[in-house]
């Protein structure tokens, strides 16, 4: 539909519908997510771009808009960014691309039990940097980390950041879909105090790629940083309409809002919520089987729909356990019946089971549990044969 319409998303004038449907759809999603009316949204391609945009805004606010003078090279003290050691790799990439420098990125240790970033750890790190003559500029809260879906206490992080005037960006790329469920919103307590938030309907909700929502509470700051206004783009409507070219990096844009508009119109919010709740229940079922079965363990508490597990029979540890984990994981992925992803905690491998595809039912999850046990047993038997 987007391609067929042949829209030209450079300014409001080039396609008013593109801008106004995006405004309306972003606001519908804001309301469905229970966010306050202080937020205004746009649609980026990915959360990676949204995070970079947030870091550019944070950089300029912290440097008193140095882009209009000497840039970061003219700043009298380094600007520092903080995130959890569980933050997504795109967070590191955004900080580096925004020019902060790796030496000014603090990947702080997460809680060993919850894998969330303690507010006390953040507050201490910011105070130490401020005392050393550096300026805390931004905090990136991970709301649903990539590895284990841990939730940083965003409300407490906002309070710690406020003492230094630091920008807070909430990266909720996958888990932000849970905002549609009132029972899950306590995981996001304090989100309305952040400066920006991004989450991807093209993940758990299942909207077509690429659809990443990006909300800010102060679009004027964003526009001040991102705006360019050459003569050939000026029009009589400037100042009266939203010009999304001033809300991000690219000048032109696709009619991405149609993807969300169609999904909301065809499926409806209630059907989407029912599917999310089904996924949560199926993930809980699998987690219960793991906890009830000898030699199987959850490596992190289950928060949403990602089950993080390991098969650890007695006497198997260290590198041998890692090899066993990677072996039975490869067996399942080669089978074509399911696809699981590996990850590491404390330098040891585990397996992530993400229950979130629209067609996945409890029957599929039950079959996966059979596959998990069979693959683990086959891996052990193969290892025994090689040992003998």
């Amino acid at each position: 539909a987007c391609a067929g319409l042949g829209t030209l998303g450079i300014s409001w004038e080039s396609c008013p519908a593109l801008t106004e449907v995006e405004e309306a759809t972003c606001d519908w999603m804001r309301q469905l997510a229970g966010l306050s009316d202080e937020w205004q949204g746009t649609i980026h391609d990915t959360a990676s771009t949204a995070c970079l945009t947030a870091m550019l805004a944070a950089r300029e606010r912290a440097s008193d808009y140095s882009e209009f003078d000497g840039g970061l090279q003219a700043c009298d003290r380094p600007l520092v960014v903080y995130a959890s050691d569980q933050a997504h790799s795109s967070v590191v990439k955004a900080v580096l691309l925004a020019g902060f420098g790796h030496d000014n990125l603090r990947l702080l240790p997460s809680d060993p039990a919850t894998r969330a970033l303690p507010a006390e750890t953040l507050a201490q790190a910011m105070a130490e940097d401020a005392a050393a003559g550096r300026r805390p500029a931004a905090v990136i809260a991970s709301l649903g980390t990539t590895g284990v879906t841990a939730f940083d206490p965003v409300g407490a992080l906002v309070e710690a950041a406020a003492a230094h005037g630091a920008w807070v960006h909430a990266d909720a790329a996958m888990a932000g879909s849970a905002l549609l469920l009132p029972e899950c919103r306590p995981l996001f307590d304090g989100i309305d105090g952040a400066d920006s938030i991004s989450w991807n309907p093209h993940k758990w909700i299942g909207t077509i790629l690429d659809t990443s929502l990006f909300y800010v509470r102060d679009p004027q700051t964003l526009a001040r940083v991102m705006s360019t206004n050459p003569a050939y783009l000026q029009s009589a409507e400037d100042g009266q309409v939203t010009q999304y070219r001033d809300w991000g990096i690219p000048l032109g844009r696709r009619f991405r809002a149609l993807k969300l508009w169609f999904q909301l119109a065809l499926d409806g919010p209630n059907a989407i919520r029912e599917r999310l709740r089904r996924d949560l229940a199926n993930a809980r079922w699998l987690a219960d089987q793991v906890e009830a079965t000898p030699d199987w363990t959850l490596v992190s508490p289950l928060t949403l729909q990602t089950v993080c597990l390991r098969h650890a029979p007695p006497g198997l540890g260290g590198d041998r356990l890692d090899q066993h984990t990677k072996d039975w994981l490869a067996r399942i992925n080669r089978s074509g019946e399911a696809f699981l992803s590996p990850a590491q905690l404390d330098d040891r491998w585990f397996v992530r089971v993400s229950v979130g595809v629209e067609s996945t039912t409890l029957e599929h999850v039950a079959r996966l549990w059979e596959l998990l046990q069979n693959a683990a047993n086959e891996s052990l038997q193969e290892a025994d044969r090689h040992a003998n």
Side-chain angles (χ1 to χ4, degrees):
C2 176
L5 287 171
T7 55
L8 183 64
I10 291 178
S11 62
W12 180 90
E13 293 81 9
S14 64
C15 184
L18 185 151
T19 296
E20 297 191 14
V21 170
E22 185 164 332
E23 285 183 299
T25 304
C26 287
D27 198 59
W28 292 342
M29 295 302 290
R30 175 194 65 79
Q31 295 177 54
L32 291 172
L35 297 172
S36 76
D37 58 10
E38 294 182 16
W39 295 94
Q40 295 184 52
T42 184
I43 302 176
H44 285 299
D45 51 0
T46 62
S48 299
T49 303
C51 188
L52 173 57
T53 302
M55 289 303 94
L56 293 172
R59 181 194 72 191
E60 291 307 304
R61 192 175 75 175
S63 65
D64 196 23
Y65 301 93
S66 64
E67 67 176 312
F68 301 108
D69 297 307
L72 285 180
Q73 297 179 73
C75 291
D76 60 353
R77 49 182 172 155
L79 306 180
V80 185
V81 181
Y82 308 83
S84 160
D85 59 10
Q86 300 298 307
H88 192 271
S89 60
S90 63
V91 167
V92 177
K93 186 175 184 178
V95 172
L96 299 184
L97 289 176
F100 289 98
H102 202 283
D103 290 347
N104 299 314
L105 171 61
R106 307 283 184 264
L107 294 178
L108 303 174
S110 56
D111 182 277
T114 66
R115 303 297 171 174
L117 173 59
E120 300 80 7
T121 301
L122 173 66
Q124 179 179 349
M126 298 180 91
E128 290 174 354
D129 278 322
R134 294 179 283 268
R135 179 166 184 174
V139 177
I140 302 174
S142 297
L143 302 185
T145 59
T146 304
V148 299
T149 325
F151 278 75
D152 292 342
V154 62
L157 300 187
V158 165
E159 290 184 14
H164 303 273
W167 184 287
V168 178
H169 175 65
D171 176 21
M174 188 285 294
S177 297
L179 283 165
L180 271 64
L181 304 178
E183 63 268 30
C184 290
R185 288 178 190 162
L187 294 168
F188 302 84
D189 277 351
I191 187 62
D192 280 327
D195 295 281
S196 56
I197 178 175
S198 62
W199 60 282
N200 298 346
H202 68 229
K203 285 193 166 71
W204 192 8
I205 288 180
T207 311
I208 296 171
L209 191 78
D210 47 4
T211 312
S212 181
L213 291 166
F214 177 59
Y215 291 93
V216 292
R217 287 196 300 119
D218 182 9
Q220 295 304 315
T221 294
L222 189 63
R224 182 176 178 182
V225 173
M226 308 301 295
S227 175
T228 58
N229 197 28
Y232 55 82
L233 292 179
Q234 295 176 15
S235 74
E237 284 77 18
D238 288 345
Q240 303 177 54
V241 297
T242 296
Q243 298 287 15
Y244 276 131
R245 66 172 184 261
D246 297 335
W247 286 48
I249 296 168
L251 171 59
R253 59 196 299 107
R254 292 192 297 277
F255 206 154
R256 291 191 179 100
L258 279 183
K259 304 172 189 180
L260 271 175
W261 186 89
F262 272 119
Q263 187 170 13
L264 290 173
L266 295 173
D267 293 349
N270 288 336
I272 294 172
R273 290 190 179 105
E274 288 175 8
R275 183 164 57 80
L276 298 184
R277 291 187 174 111
R278 179 206 66 185
D279 293 342
L280 292 175
N282 289 346
R284 181 70 266 171
W285 180 89
L286 178 59
D288 288 344
Q289 310 313 305
V290 171
E291 292 184 308
T293 304
D295 302 342
W296 288 88
T297 183
L298 297 179
V299 302
S300 182
L302 177 66
T303 52
L304 289 178
Q305 46 60 265
T306 302
V307 184
C308 301
L309 50 82
R310 184 183 288 130
H311 181 248
L316 199 62
D319 292 341
R320 290 179 60 215
L321 178 59
D322 279 348
Q323 186 58 49
H324 171 60
T325 300
K326 290 187 284 187
D327 182 73
W328 65 256
L329 168 67
R331 290 171 184 271
I332 291 176
N333 287 347
R334 284 197 304 266
S335 76
E337 288 198 60
F339 181 82
L340 312 179
S341 56
Q344 285 184 305
L345 277 179
D346 303 323
D347 298 322
R348 289 300 170 196
W349 290 97
F350 69 95
V351 172
R352 301 169 68 256
V353 180
S354 180
V355 183
V357 175
E358 184 175 358
S359 58
T360 298
T361 67
L362 180 58
E363 178 183 356
H364 298 103
V365 178
R367 172 57 183 156
L368 173 64
W369 178 228
E370 293 180 10
L371 290 172
L372 289 168
Q373 296 174 91
N374 291 339
N377 289 334
E378 290 170 3
S379 174
L380 290 177
Q381 292 168 6
E382 182 73 17
D384 287 343
R385 283 196 295 269
H386 285 300
N388 295 327

